[in-house]
Amino acid sequence: TPDLIVGLLGILKAGGAYLPMDPNYPEERLKFMLEDSQANILLAETETINELPQFLGRTILIDKDWTEIDSANTPPIQYRHNNMSDALAYTIFTSGSTGKPKGVKITHRNVVNFLITMQKEPGIRSTDVLMAVTTLSFDIAVLELFLPLVSGATVALADVDMSRDGRRLANGLKRMNVSIMQATPATWQMLLAAGWQPAEGFKMLSGGEPLPQNLAQTLLSDSTELWNMYGPTETTIWSSVSKVTNPKLIDIGKPIGNTQMYILDKHLNPVPIGVTGELWIAGDGVSKGYLNRSRLTSERFVHNPFVNKLGAKMYYTGDLAKYLPDGTIVCLGRVDFQVKVRGFRIELGEIEATLAEHASVREAVVTAVDLGNDDKRLIAYILLEQGVKVLETAVMRRFLQSKLPAYMIPSNFVIQDQFPLMPNGKLDRRTLQNPLNGVIDTADYVPPNSSTEQKIAEIWADFLKIEKVGIHSDFFELGGHSLLATQIISKIRDNYAINLTLADFFDSPNIADLAKQVDAVNWQIKVQTAPLQPFEGEAEEFEF
Ligand code: AMP
């Protein structure tokens, strides 16, 4: 809502730093974030305050406390004169491999350098309208909310429903004459799945995970602009940008202003052009490190030996990369167990550590399986504690839901007697069986009855990659997510004359209820369009 932006500007004007808290996160996680950050003010809305943990500091309700807010007209703090560019602007929590999320501390210097550089490339004009679709919990929202504002351009705000529903978003883009949008590849796929096509002159920024060639090919045309944006939260939103000219050659471009990127070997020596090495980032985007994690900070942010400047640091990204002959950088995957699932950054170790907190679990391993078409699923493999015979998926799911955000909950849980090991005794992840091959939904399987249920079950099975789906099974419990839901809705629309929205789908995410909705509408249509008496000539087409 616009109040969100008012709140952010208010915090910055007062010289504070913000920490975004998504009310959809489990209470335990929010509580941890509040405690870890030692936040002393909670800015919320009446509607969400009850979803947040109990807070002992001062609470301000932005939709209610206007008498007090209005009376506080102190001028903005003078950052430049008080030399406050190293003061914190925001802290963002990201997944932590040891089991707890970690806060990244970003300064005003970091953000200002970023915004000024983005004004040049990819560039923004005061006549532009940028549609903001990203939740504030991701740092990339900073580009969407602040870049237009510091450039005299317009921000169009997509609410939650619009940002996760391809059709609504496509309508919003048209209605508001949007000329720029930034999103992860998953959101671009969602828009395309809803039948959207970029308008002439549309500027698209894609980032957060590798830009698939086929997506780039579909998005790019003679009259559109597509940019591949790369960067970790720790070096402030994006550290390199690349204007895509050939969708078959996707690179991450060159560093943005006042930023250096080094591709190094294990001994911190630069590798030659064309040779794969580890990517390090230095310069004005490098953040102050992790909140209350001095050891982790000193491991990942080390002295930069390539510049003669006291205190200069470079950040170890964990990404593999190589140089092309012209200095352009190509990203080649990761060295660790950090994955991206639909744009969300996840340390598999955090899910494993959380699973291991359950009394019945001796050990857990989590993998991300790529099913193609931008569909990645998390699979958990579990060794049970001695004496424990069964552990139901629903129980595990509920346990994790109380601790982790929804995008970190595995779609499948596989109980194993032992993990496959390599000769050196290390876990052999590659030979863990893929449970998605020929999965049958066994949870109280009820077969389809009507032809509508049968058809919808086939569509679900196809997209969920499950052989047989019961009509009462919950879409999300079977590994479903919003992108799949959008694709399924489009398919249902291809088959039936129904204007099904994502919200309808989320309200009753099982086949039986969906079939009821479809049948109700299609029955009405049959009645309306059925000619009362036989007539000659062509029937008029019914418009929906
Ligand atoms: P985050 O901190 O959520 O922005 O995640 C940063 C990580 O996402 C990077 O270290 C990369 O592994 C990955 N990443 C972000 N953008 C891209 C991109 N355009 N291409 C490839 N990987 C990317």
Side-chain angles (χ1 to χ4, degrees):
T1 64
D3 272 355
L4 176 89
I5 298 190
V6 173
L8 291 177
L9 292 176
I11 293 169
L12 295 173
K13 181 181 170 190
Y18 70 84
L19 155 64
M21 303 231 302
D22 185 336
N24 288 318
Y25 282 4
E27 190 178 340
E28 199 175 310
R29 197 176 186 84
L30 294 173
K31 209 163 151 226
F32 173 80
M33 285 157 64
L34 275 179
E35 281 166 12
D36 196 37
S37 67
Q38 299 275 296
N40 54 350
I41 298 177
L42 180 63
L43 184 62
E45 285 178 318
T46 324
E47 207 184 306
T48 47
I49 189 75
N50 292 332
E51 294 163 46
L52 298 171
Q54 201 200 5
F55 180 66
L56 296 177
R58 182 166 168 216
T59 299
I60 300 174
L61 293 176
I62 192 140
D63 54 332
K64 242 184 167 175
D65 295 341
W66 274 97
T67 336
E68 215 181 326
I69 298 171
D70 268 342
S71 67
N73 63 352
T74 21
I77 198 155
Q78 294 295 317
Y79 287 102
R80 197 175 310 183
H81 297 136
N82 296 353
N83 198 13
M84 280 187 62
S85 49
D86 283 322
L88 288 196
Y90 64 83
T91 294
I92 297 268
F93 274 78
T94 71
S95 182
S97 56
T98 52
K100 286 274 176 265
K102 50 190 193 283
V104 183
K105 300 186 288 186
I106 305 291
T107 65
H108 284 263
R109 180 195 302 281
N110 298 148
V111 182
V112 170
N113 183 66
F114 171 76
L115 291 175
I116 300 294
T117 320
M118 289 299 110
Q119 282 182 327
K120 296 184 188 123
E121 268 198 329
I124 185 165
R125 294 158 305 176
S126 58
T127 47
D128 275 319
V129 179
L130 187 149
M131 175 71 95
V133 293
T134 305
T135 150
L136 197 60
S137 297
F138 288 153
D139 65 340
I140 70 172
V142 169
L143 182 149
E144 298 169 28
L145 301 179
F146 295 130
L147 182 61
L149 295 184
V150 298
S151 311
T154 305
V155 191
L157 286 174
D159 62 14
V160 187
D161 288 337
M162 188 189 273
S163 61
R164 65 179 191 185
D165 185 332
R167 281 224 312 174
R168 280 199 189 178
L169 186 54
N171 287 340
L173 291 173
K174 207 165 152 200
R175 194 160 31 92
M176 293 188 252
N177 276 325
V178 173
S179 53
I180 307 183
M181 194 179 107
Q182 168 187 265
T184 58
T187 300
W188 293 116
Q189 300 277 21
M190 178 185 82
L191 269 170
L192 292 172
W196 169 83
Q197 278 184 336
E200 215 165 283
F202 197 60
K203 193 182 273 195
M204 295 164 281
L205 318 184
S206 172
E209 60 184 315
L211 172 61
Q213 283 183 10
N214 57 359
L215 176 62
Q217 194 138 20
T218 320
L219 290 175
L220 198 60
S221 70
D222 290 344
S223 67
T224 57
E225 227 177 81
L226 175 62
W227 292 76
N228 186 22
M229 321 288 285
Y230 163 88
T233 305
E234 286 85 341
T235 54
T236 317
I237 310 157
W238 306 127
S239 298
S240 73
V241 298
S242 170
K243 187 171 177 184
V244 182
T245 47
N246 180 354
K248 294 217 166 68
L249 298 173
I250 301 290
D251 56 64
I252 57 165
K254 293 181 180 168
I256 67 165
N258 303 311
T259 299
Q260 299 81 45
M261 283 178 157
Y262 307 111
I263 306 180
L264 308 178
D265 66 14
K266 282 267 171 253
H267 308 286
L268 302 192
N269 296 311
V271 297
I273 286 169
V275 173
T276 302
E278 293 177 333
L279 186 59
W280 294 72
I281 302 177
D284 280 355
V286 177
S287 68
K288 275 193 160 171
Y290 303 112
L291 196 66
N292 307 325
R293 305 277 191 291
S294 49
R295 212 173 116 204
L296 187 60
T297 301
S298 56
E299 274 168 30
R300 304 294 291 216
F301 296 81
V302 309
H303 167 67
N304 180 357
F306 303 105
V307 291
N308 202 357
K309 192 173 159 200
L310 201 70
K313 296 265 194 260
M314 58 178 191
Y315 170 72
Y316 176 66
T317 64
D319 286 313
L320 291 168
K322 67 174 184 186
Y323 282 118
L324 296 180
D326 69 348
T328 303
I329 297 170
V330 179
C331 204
L332 298 164
R334 292 203 55 89
V335 295
D336 55 13
F337 298 113
Q338 179 186 304
V339 296
K340 281 287 175 111
V341 177
R342 293 182 294 288
F344 296 102
R345 170 169 159 180
I346 299 170
E347 292 287 352
L348 295 174
E350 183 173 352
I351 310 175
E352 290 167 356
T354 310
L355 276 165
E357 284 174 23
H358 192 279
S360 302
V361 176
R362 178 150 56 95
E363 218 180 311
V365 173
V366 178
T367 61
V369 180
D370 194 344
L371 300 176
N373 270 344
D374 230 29
D375 186 11
K376 259 194 220 153
R377 309 272 176 90
L378 294 170
I379 318 281
Y381 299 87
I382 292 171
L383 300 186
L384 294 178
E385 277 295 357
Q386 254 174 4
V388 180
K389 291 274 175 296
V390 280
L391 183 56
E392 281 179 25
T393 299
V395 173
M396 257 357 267
R397 189 164 275 126
R398 231 171 296 128
F399 176 74
L400 291 183
Q401 274 164 354
S402 68
K403 293 170 181 287
L404 298 174
Y407 60 82
M408 289 177 80
I409 315 281
S411 57
N412 293 69
F413 295 82
V414 185
I415 308 285
Q416 302 220 293
D417 294 333
Q418 55 186 51
F419 289 145
L421 298 179
M422 294 193 286
N424 64 2
K426 280 194 184 167
L427 176 73
D428 189 357
R429 283 177 183 259
R430 285 164 314 160
T431 55
L432 282 165
Q433 51 140 330
N434 176 359
L436 296 175
N437 292 332
V439 169
I440 298 179
D441 163 29
T442 48
D444 303 324
Y445 176 71
V446 180
N449 285 316
S450 66
S451 62
T452 313
E453 284 180 356
Q454 178 66 38
K455 183 70 210 165
I456 297 179
E458 278 166 25
I459 297 173
W460 278 40
D462 193 25
F463 281 102
L464 286 164
K465 307 254 179 347
I466 292 177
E467 257 175 38
K468 274 160 65 183
V469 191
I471 58 166
H472 295 306
S473 299
D474 184 282
F475 174 74
F476 296 100
E477 303 225 329
L478 296 173
H481 50 77
S482 11
L483 177 59
L484 274 183
T486 306
Q487 291 168 330
I488 288 177
I489 289 171
S490 295
K491 197 82 190 171
I492 294 178
R493 283 205 208 105
D494 289 347
N495 283 275
Y496 301 98
I498 178 169
N499 195 6
L500 194 68
T501 66
L502 197 67
D504 298 332
F505 187 96
F506 283 172
D507 280 347
S508 49
N510 65 67
I511 294 171
D513 287 349
L514 271 180
K516 263 189 221 138
Q517 292 193 45
V518 169
D519 282 341
V521 173
N522 280 266
W523 181 80
Q524 284 172 16
I525 289 164
K526 269 186 225 146
V527 172
Q528 285 183 37
T529 52
L532 293 174
Q533 333 158 351
F535 68 101
E536 302 208 333
E538 282 185 20
E540 212 177 297
E541 271 206 11
F542 193 83
E543 279 207 26
F544 307 104

